Amino acid sequence: MTSMMKTALRLGVLGAIAASTSTAALAQSCDWTPDRAVTYIVPWGAGGGTDANSRMLATMLEQKWGVPFNVVNRTGGNGVTGHSAIANADPDGYTVGAVTVEINTMHWVGLTDLNYSNITPIGLIDIVPASVLVSKDSPFETIGDVLDHARENPGDLTASGTSLGGIWHLALAGMLNAEGMDPESIRWIPSQGAAPALQELIAGGVDMATPALSEGKALVDSGEVRALAYMHDTPMAALPDVPVTAEALESGWTLAAYITISGPEGMPEEISCAYQQAVEEITQTQEWAEFKESRGAEVVFTGGDDLVAYMQAQDEALGATIEAVGLAD
């Protein structure tokens, strides 16, 4: 087994652990509640999976606590702008945000010194395996067709989904590397997130996109795009006919991203505890379950020390992937 395959499997195992972990309600009483508007920063563009999950959670926190939760999309810098805004805010509870898996990738590719130790993790609310999506008019019928074409015509195909070195880029480059191909045999076109990448795919600007399958589900359902692969070891319940890469590829490559709600570094325990309790309660509601089902995603929650340990392990595993595909700074 190659080191890349071991990394891929490790990522899959970590995702499974986090997906099955539910933190028990905290024993201590967390009495803090916000008494004025809260800013909820999203480092990625409107319309993508991070934005959708964050806006739903912000709405439900607003309903719970009775104060506005204003979602602000702070895009730019390949995720650095928004993540920095979260990390550097006053840790008084009035700025939180969607820290995503890119907190484990940006520093490896030299974009920033920021990493998971510079934020206060509150709760993991989403784990999303990548996919391979093509337009409805694409000549490719399977992931094997794509790889065969890329082997014979390196550099001919283009793909998008996020920034250079972002998680959906790593999904593609890592898959190519795991299959014994040049990670650049399919050219990456950077975007500010899944939503603009999918718009570019539909418009014919790129040949494929590799976002979370949940992010492309509505377009798959409508017939605008076709899903050739799901980078996971089990099918998505909402799209059970999409082949999983663990079976379709010789390497067994899999990769998943995650979304958290987190606060700035140094957030007092009383405040982070109050947020964690509130978010865990929300993720146990029928309303949240129905929202996740509409996106073809499972309900997950991990908080506290388990989340910190998960983010640390992801940092190490993704760093190994970044180095293996030649993107490390």
Side-chain angles (χ1 to χ4, degrees):
M1 182 180 291
T2 66
S3 60
M4 175 56 69
M5 289 172 65
K6 291 178 181 177
T7 299
L9 290 174
R10 185 180 182 193
L11 287 168
V13 170
L14 288 170
I17 291 172
S20 63
T21 301
S22 176
T23 305
L26 299 179
Q28 68 269 41
S29 175
C30 305
D31 295 330
W32 182 88
T33 56
D35 58 13
R36 56 184 172 85
V38 175
T39 298
Y40 197 124
I41 296 173
V42 177
W44 304 103
T50 302
D51 184 68
N53 277 272
S54 300
R55 287 182 183 276
M56 184 63 178
L57 183 57
T59 296
M60 296 183 74
L61 284 168
E62 183 172 306
Q63 293 170 350
K64 177 178 178 59
W65 276 333
V67 298
F69 272 72
N70 301 316
V71 177
V72 178
N73 296 89
R74 292 288 300 276
T75 61
N78 295 335
V80 173
T81 301
H83 282 91
S84 296
I86 298 168
N88 297 327
D90 190 328
D92 59 3
Y94 292 96
T95 301
V96 294
V99 169
T100 61
V101 69
E102 281 76 14
I103 198 73
N104 296 134
T105 63
M106 296 183 295
H107 66 100
W108 285 104
V109 298
L111 292 176
T112 178
D113 292 331
L114 191 70
N115 62 51
Y116 68 92
S117 68
N118 301 123
I119 54 99
T120 299
I122 293 170
L124 182 147
I125 61 168
D126 201 32
I127 290 183
V128 283
S131 64
V132 177
L133 307 179
V134 296
S135 70
K136 61 182 179 182
D137 300 321
S138 172
F140 303 117
E141 298 293 335
T142 68
I143 185 61
D145 293 341
V146 171
L147 296 179
D148 287 344
H149 184 93
R151 284 191 186 97
E152 297 172 5
N153 307 275
D156 181 52
L157 299 178
T158 56
S160 190
T162 188
S163 59
L164 185 70
I167 192 65
W168 304 140
H169 181 207
L170 292 180
L172 176 66
M175 179 181 69
L176 295 173
N177 187 79
E179 291 294 299
M181 300 170 62
D182 184 339
E184 296 183 0
S185 58
I186 297 177
R187 292 183 291 119
W188 189 255
I189 308 300
S191 73
Q192 290 293 339
L198 288 169
Q199 292 171 2
E200 192 70 9
L201 177 65
I202 294 172
V206 293
D207 296 297
M208 69 193 70
T210 56
L213 185 54
S214 57
E215 291 179 303
K217 179 180 179 297
L219 293 173
V220 174
D221 289 341
S222 68
E224 289 297 314
V225 305
R226 290 185 285 113
L228 303 187
Y230 184 43
M231 295 192 193
H232 202 37
D233 53 6
T234 56
M236 176 187 279
L239 294 170
D241 296 329
V242 180
V244 294
T245 53
E247 297 176 356
L249 299 180
E250 184 177 349
S251 65
W253 170 261
T254 64
L255 190 142
Y258 65 83
I259 303 169
T260 74
I261 174 175
S262 297
E265 183 178 6
M267 178 178 280
E269 184 176 354
E270 179 188 24
I271 298 176
S272 62
C273 165
Y275 268 106
Q276 181 176 324
Q277 286 188 341
V279 173
E280 183 167 10
E281 289 172 6
I282 286 170
T283 61
Q284 294 172 351
T285 65
Q286 183 63 28
E287 184 178 1
W288 183 260
E290 291 173 356
F291 163 71
K292 300 300 283 187
E293 183 178 5
S294 73
R295 299 185 59 79
E298 298 179 356
V299 173
V300 298
F301 181 82
T302 301
D305 292 341
D306 289 339
L307 178 53
V308 174
Y310 174 70
M311 294 176 79
Q312 181 177 4
Q314 285 284 67
D315 198 272
E316 294 172 1
L318 286 166
T321 302
I322 290 167
E323 290 177 343
V325 301
L327 291 173
D329 180 62

